[in-house]
Amino acid sequence: MATYEYLCSRCGPFDVKLEIGTAPKAYGCPVCAGAARRVYSSPGLSLTRNAVAALHVREEQAREAPAVVSQVPPRRRVPRHPHPALSRLPRL
């Protein structure tokens, strides 16, 4: 999905999400239903770390089709590794 920007002469700019390559030159304004022309602007590109980009992708996928579980996942036991200095302390 891509975000396309349109400009209505009465209501102002608005965004529409459509499949890539399917955006018409004119689109109906969601407020007044008048014809709005497509506006070309610079893409919103930025350099993000891979971990942040992966989180954004997961969040968008969860918004569209959330994961459904049938039961609560089992609790994981975290192994405890005591500090080496504690082994030299006297035991009571």
Side-chain angles (χ1 to χ4, degrees):
M1 297 294 270
T3 303
Y4 295 97
E5 187 176 351
Y6 288 88
L7 179 64
C8 177
S9 59
R10 286 184 242 156
C11 304
F14 62 93
D15 294 336
V16 178
K17 287 193 175 195
L18 300 169
E19 290 186 25
I20 294 176
T22 63
K25 291 182 181 182
Y27 196 83
C29 176
V31 177
C32 68
R37 66 180 177 87
R38 184 169 168 198
V39 178
Y40 294 92
S41 59
S42 61
L45 300 177
S46 63
L47 298 176
T48 58
R49 289 179 274 149
N50 290 342
V52 174
L55 286 175
H56 283 296
V57 169
R58 261 180 74 190
E59 189 270 333
E60 285 183 2
Q61 288 173 346
R63 187 182 319 149
E64 297 296 325
V68 179
V69 295
S70 58
Q71 62 184 7
V72 177
R75 183 180 227 182
R76 281 197 239 165
R77 293 246 194 220
V78 179
R80 301 188 89 204
H81 301 288
H83 193 275
L86 295 178
S87 64
R88 291 179 285 193
L89 291 175
R91 304 237 182 236
L92 296 176

